[in-house]
Amino acid sequence: MVELSSKLHGWTGLVYKFGCEFIHLSNLHNELTKDPFLTLPEEEKRSIIHYINKYHFVGLHKNSPFSEVASHIPVIFQKISANLECYLKQLESTQLPEP
C-alpha cells in the first residue's frame, strides 16, 4: 500500500494519508479515561487538524478533544465516499487503451 500510495495525487493521496494517520486512534478505544487524540504524535495531530479544517471548514485546534474531532467524522467519511463513487464512475466511463 505504501508503494501504491506514493503514486496517488490530489484528493486520493490526501485521503490515504488522512486514513493512515487517523487509524492510529483505533488502538486507543477508551476515550472516557484518556483522550486518544491528544496522545497522538504532534505531526499526526497537526496533519489531521489541517486536513479537517482545510477540506471540511471546521475550526479545530491543537488542543481539540477527540469528541470534537469525532463529531465531524461521519460527514467527512460521507464526503470521501461520495468523491470515491464519482471517481469510480469517471474511471468506468473512460475508454482504456487497447493493449
Side-chain angles (χ1 to χ4, degrees):
M1 289 300 289
V2 173
E3 184 180 329
L4 175 62
S5 71
S6 68
K7 299 173 187 168
L8 298 176
H9 301 287
W11 71 270
T12 53
L14 290 171
V15 167
Y16 180 80
K17 185 174 188 263
F18 173 75
C20 287
E21 290 167 346
F22 203 81
I23 199 69
H24 291 151
L25 295 172
S26 66
N27 61 353
L28 304 168
H29 308 304
N30 195 356
E31 70 271 4
L32 297 177
T33 60
K34 191 173 189 179
D35 190 318
F37 190 66
L38 299 179
T39 62
L40 285 176
E42 285 299 316
E43 181 59 33
E44 288 182 25
K45 189 175 8 172
R46 192 172 29 255
S47 180
I48 290 171
I49 289 170
H50 174 74
Y51 176 91
I52 293 174
N53 287 344
K54 183 174 181 178
Y55 296 102
H56 302 281
F57 312 106
V58 177
L60 298 175
H61 53 84
K62 72 177 189 167
N63 294 320
S64 291
F66 179 69
S67 59
E68 189 176 346
V69 175
S71 69
H72 301 287
I73 297 305
V75 173
I76 292 168
F77 285 170
Q78 185 177 25
K79 184 175 179 182
I80 291 170
S81 177
N83 285 346
L84 181 57
E85 187 176 331
C86 181
Y87 185 63
L88 289 173
K89 285 180 182 177
Q90 286 176 346
L91 286 175
E92 288 172 350
S93 68
T94 303
Q95 289 247 324
L96 296 175
E98 294 196 27

